[in-house]
């Protein structure tokens, strides 16, 4: 019997919600055929079967949360199907006890709708040193960290599921001793570890609303739960300040309209804004940085990868368009359209949601005169775009009608001041109000 456990689905992901089983106990399955769809807090993924055989049992019903390393399915690789149906739909924690060593394996998940190359699962015995000659199981981010620290993964004692090497294992090996690695969700604990709690914070339990009338309850899961955690962290840790500005995009919209009338594919307004903002980020790097409150240092990123907030059926997600400064307007518009479309279709890989340095959120199509966006932690700033509308403005003493784009820049006041924000926006404003300048970048 082969026990297949939920593999490492990406950096910082420790669980997922079962969306759909492609098999039932008793079904035959071939290697690399779809086994189960799982949604993490970053993306929906289809996990292929690592073995051919008969499915003996599955763990977790649709809607259940399964943990990394938890047994998802038992496959009879001999094909006899003995015991099929036993344990089907068992709860969390199944198969996590004895017998979880040799014979277990992990196989990379694939984003739904994305073409997958053939994947081979390697059964690994712990410790990893016993598997000399085999590729050590570790996530890409862990391998990168090992390279940066000069650590030989073959010599690292693995503590992860199925003999998988974790980032913590690599850091311990590099330092030659124990080290504390704190997950994102525990950042607040470290920041206030001296006092133990946040001053004046008293979280009261919710009352029983059902005594007042009918209610419905829904579990906070997947993307919505991740959003809740990140927003709580962002709004608690970061002192938000907002700078608002109106940008006259009359000439820019006329330029885009001219391109369309000539049969050309005009870059979107969002692409122009992203391109202009990149120039602001280069001039004021504090808005392309992250502050470590524990280590009391600022990390300035020397690359420009912008997250684009996308409204999907599963909630708000922020895929990242990488190296915006290296893309022309047409290419950038295509890149934004690509990630937005695949985000709505649930086709993005987990890695496409990480590595952003700045975020843009655009609610213009939905209406509203303005809003205050929350910073996408651990970034230091976010730009919110409102709806472009014709408004009367004064130009040279005369009232004229112009197309105005309202924007708001929310930023971390710990590392940037109001004057910096005004200068930052003025750079983008000047470029957007004179679009030909953007074509020269």
């Amino acid at each position: 019997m082969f026990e297949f456990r939920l593999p490492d689905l990406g950096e910082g992901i420790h669980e997922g919600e079962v969306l759909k089983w492609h098999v039932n106990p008793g079904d035959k399955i071939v290697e690399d055929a779809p086994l189960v769809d799982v949604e993490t807090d970053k993306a929906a993924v289809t996990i292929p079967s690592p073995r051919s055989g008969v499915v003996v049992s599955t763990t977790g019903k649709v809607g259940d949360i399964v943990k990394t390393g938890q047994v998802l399915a038992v496959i009879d690789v001999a094909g006899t199907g003995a015991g099929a149906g036993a344990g089907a739909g068992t709860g969390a924690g199944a198969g996590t006890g004895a017998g979880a060593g040799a014979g277990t394996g992990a196989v990379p998940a694939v984003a739904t709708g994305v073409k997958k190359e053939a994947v081979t699962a390697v059964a690994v015995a712990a410790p990893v040193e016993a598997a000399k000659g085999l590729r050590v199981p570790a996530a890409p981010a862990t391998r990168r960290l090992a390279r940066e620290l000069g650590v030989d993964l073959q010599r690292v004692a693995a503590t992860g599921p199925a003999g998988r090497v974790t980032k913590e294992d690599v850091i311990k090996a590099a330092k030659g001793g124990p080290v504390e690695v704190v997950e994102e969700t525990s950042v607040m604990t470290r920041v206030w570890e001296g006092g133990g709690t946040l001053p004046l914070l008293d979280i009261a339990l919710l009352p029983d609303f059902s005594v007042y009338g009918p209610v419905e309850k829904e579990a906070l899961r997947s993307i919505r739960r991740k959003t809740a955690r990140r927003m709580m962290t962002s709004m608690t840790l970061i002192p938000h300040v907002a700078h608002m500005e109106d940008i006259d995009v009359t000439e820019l919209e006329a330029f885009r309209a001219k391109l369309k009338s000539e049969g050309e594919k005009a870059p979107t307004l969002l692409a122009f804004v992203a391109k202009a903002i990149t120039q602001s980020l280069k001039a004021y790097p504090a808005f392309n940085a992250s502050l470590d409150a524990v280590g009391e240092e600022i990390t300035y990123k020397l690359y420009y990868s912008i997250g684009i907030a996308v409204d999907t059926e599963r909630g708000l997600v922020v895929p990242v368009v990488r190296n915006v400064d290296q893309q022309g307007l047409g290419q950038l518009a295509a890149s934004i359209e690509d990630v937005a479309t695949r985000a709505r279709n649930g086709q993005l890989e987990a890695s496409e949601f990480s590595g952003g340095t700045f975020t843009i959120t655009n609610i213009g199509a939905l209406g509203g005169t303005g809003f205050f966006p929350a910073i996408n932690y651990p970034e230091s700033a976010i730009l919110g775009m409102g709806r472009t509308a014709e408004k009367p403005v004064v130009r040279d003493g005369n009232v004229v009608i112009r197309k105005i784009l309202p924007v708001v820049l929310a930023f971390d006041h710990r590392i940037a001041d109001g004057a910096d924000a005004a200068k930052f926006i003025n750079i983008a404003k000047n470029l957007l109000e004179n679009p030909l300048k953007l074509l020269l970048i």
Side-chain angles (χ1 to χ4, degrees):
M1 295 293 175
F2 176 81
E3 290 185 340
F4 176 60
R5 299 174 181 274
L6 180 64
D8 185 342
L9 299 177
E11 184 176 0
I13 299 176
H14 307 289
E15 63 186 19
E17 178 182 342
V18 176
L19 293 181
K20 174 184 178 182
W21 280 101
H22 293 274
V23 295
N24 294 308
D27 290 349
K28 290 184 178 180
I29 191 169
V30 296
E31 184 174 341
D32 294 331
L35 179 66
V36 61
D37 292 349
V38 175
E39 183 178 53
T40 70
D41 50 35
K42 292 186 177 180
V45 298
T46 296
I47 300 177
S49 175
R51 295 287 190 276
S52 296
V54 175
V55 178
V56 176
S57 64
T58 59
T59 298
K61 304 182 297 294
V62 172
D64 284 353
I65 301 297
V66 290
K67 305 287 185 180
T68 300
Q70 180 179 331
V71 173
L72 274 182
V74 176
I75 301 173
D76 180 0
V77 294
T80 63
T90 53
T96 56
T104 60
V107 61
V110 211
T112 304
V114 177
K115 184 177 180 181
K116 173 182 71 65
E117 301 298 329
V119 180
T120 301
V122 179
V124 182
V128 175
E129 292 91 336
K132 289 184 178 179
L134 295 178
R135 178 177 172 83
V136 176
T142 302
R143 295 184 183 282
R144 182 171 62 250
L145 178 63
R147 289 195 299 269
E148 293 172 351
L149 298 179
V151 172
D152 182 0
L153 287 178
Q154 290 283 359
R155 297 180 177 274
V156 177
T159 63
R164 199 172 187 84
V165 175
T166 67
K167 290 195 302 180
E168 293 88 341
D169 297 334
V170 172
I171 295 174
K172 288 179 182 178
K175 292 192 174 184
V179 62
E180 179 188 13
V181 177
V182 180
E183 297 294 337
E184 175 186 311
T185 52
S186 62
V187 167
M188 289 169 55
T189 301
R190 286 188 64 189
V191 173
W192 283 282
E193 60 186 357
T197 60
L198 286 173
L200 302 180
L201 179 62
D202 183 13
I203 301 178
L205 296 178
L206 291 178
D208 181 4
F209 296 108
S210 63
V211 301
Y212 305 108
V215 300
E216 290 184 358
K217 292 188 177 182
E218 178 184 355
L220 190 64
R221 288 176 171 166
S222 300
I223 291 176
R224 178 51 54 193
R225 179 169 58 175
K226 182 66 173 181
T227 300
R229 287 175 174 173
R230 293 183 73 89
M231 291 303 97
M232 182 64 181
T233 300
S234 174
M235 298 304 290
T236 304
L237 281 183
I238 301 176
H240 284 56
V241 177
H243 176 83
M244 303 175 187
E245 183 61 273
D246 284 342
I247 300 178
D248 188 339
V249 293
T250 307
E251 303 302 327
L252 174 55
E253 290 296 87
F255 174 66
R256 294 180 63 244
K258 185 173 185 298
L259 288 177
K260 292 178 181 178
S261 68
E262 296 175 351
E264 300 287 342
K265 185 173 176 61
T268 60
L269 176 60
L270 179 56
F272 278 95
V273 172
K275 195 67 176 176
I277 281 296
T278 302
Q279 299 307 305
S280 298
L281 293 172
K282 290 182 176 181
Y284 291 91
F287 297 93
N288 203 55
S290 291
L291 185 145
D292 181 356
V294 178
E296 295 189 355
E297 64 179 9
I298 302 172
T299 298
Y300 296 96
K301 294 111 173 184
L302 305 181
Y303 53 95
Y304 305 92
S305 297
I306 293 182
I308 305 296
V310 180
D311 184 30
T312 74
E313 292 181 352
R314 301 182 311 281
L316 186 70
V317 298
V318 187
V320 176
V321 177
R322 305 191 188 284
N323 303 316
V324 171
D325 58 318
Q326 299 174 23
Q327 300 188 45
L329 275 167
Q331 181 184 1
L332 178 56
S335 296
I336 293 174
E337 181 179 2
D338 173 60
V339 297
T341 299
R342 290 192 292 121
R344 295 188 186 99
N345 294 335
Q347 296 174 337
L348 290 173
E349 297 184 28
S351 61
E352 295 181 271
F353 293 94
S354 61
T357 62
F358 184 91
T359 295
I360 297 177
T361 178
N362 180 12
I363 64 164
L366 301 177
T369 57
F371 67 109
F372 191 150
I375 297 170
N376 187 17
Y377 182 87
E379 296 169 10
S380 63
I382 182 172
L383 184 79
M385 296 171 55
R387 178 174 55 183
T388 300
E390 291 187 336
K391 294 183 178 181
V393 297
V394 177
R395 294 287 187 267
D396 300 322
N398 299 311
V399 177
V400 294
I401 302 300
R402 305 290 287 181
K403 291 186 177 179
I404 302 299
L405 167 66
V407 298
V408 55
L409 175 72
F411 63 95
D412 187 340
H413 205 351
R414 296 173 300 177
I415 59 177
D417 299 322
D420 300 323
K423 296 172 185 176
F424 175 92
I425 286 296
N426 283 340
I427 291 176
K429 176 182 170 74
N430 180 263
L431 290 171
L432 292 170
E433 292 184 344
N434 300 277
L436 292 181
K437 292 183 179 180
L438 274 175
L439 300 180
L440 300 177
I441 296 175

